[in-house]
Amino acid sequence: EVHPVESGGGQVQAGGSLRLSCAVSGKTFDDLKTFDDYAIGWFRQAPGKEREGISFIINRDGSTHYIDSVKGRFTISRDNAKNTAFLQMDSLKPEDSAVYYCAVDSSGFGTTEAALYDYWGQGTQVTVSS
């Protein structure tokens, strides 16, 4: 089974930066796919709110996608040699405070729809103070 593990969360002041990492281990049940095949998505969930897809990256052409509220501030990337994806978060705002999750879409297509992701990490807390 595929296991994503997030790290890098913490508490920062508004305007600060954090870099989240998502280390992925394991294999799909058919043992045919590797990290290179996956799309990786980043989601967040604030208290009392639904989980929100904020960015994803696919591997076939390196395409990335961001929702408007993080565009220009967040940067998603991946290092296939290390089976790790990253989310660089700059110019953080208090409204960015949430638990951040990374997820694996083994189809490789990528989406911000949570239901289409197969494997999820446990999340890492990001708190931005004003």
Side-chain angles (χ1 to χ4, degrees):
E1 184 154 322
V2 177
H3 293 284
V5 177
E6 305 93 339
S7 62
Q11 183 168 356
V12 295
Q13 290 190 329
S17 298
L18 284 172
R19 188 191 196 207
L20 305 183
S21 298
C22 174
V24 179
S25 62
K27 295 184 178 181
T28 54
F29 73 94
D30 57 8
D31 207 27
L32 296 177
K33 294 186 176 179
T34 63
F35 184 81
D36 294 14
D37 298 308
Y38 307 148
I40 304 296
W42 283 97
F43 295 76
R44 66 186 180 187
Q45 188 167 19
K49 295 187 177 181
E50 292 188 355
R51 190 169 297 189
E52 174 185 42
I54 58 173
S55 181
F56 65 84
I57 183 169
I58 65 175
N59 195 48
R60 292 181 177 86
D61 61 3
S63 295
T64 59
H65 173 83
Y66 304 91
I67 60 171
D68 286 346
S69 61
V70 307
K71 198 173 294 183
R73 300 188 299 122
F74 291 10
T75 304
I76 191 171
S77 61
R78 63 192 294 162
D79 184 339
N80 290 338
K82 296 182 178 180
N83 289 2
T84 302
F86 305 95
L87 186 68
Q88 177 68 41
M89 306 187 295
D90 299 317
S91 302
L92 282 162
K93 304 175 181 180
E95 52 263 42
D96 294 317
S97 297
V99 178
Y100 282 70
Y101 301 88
C102 72
V104 172
D105 170 10
S106 60
S107 77
F109 290 107
T111 175
T112 54
E113 294 294 326
L116 299 180
Y117 282 80
D118 308 286
Y119 308 99
W120 290 82
Q122 293 301 305
T124 185
Q125 177 71 47
V126 171
T127 303
V128 184
S129 57
S130 58

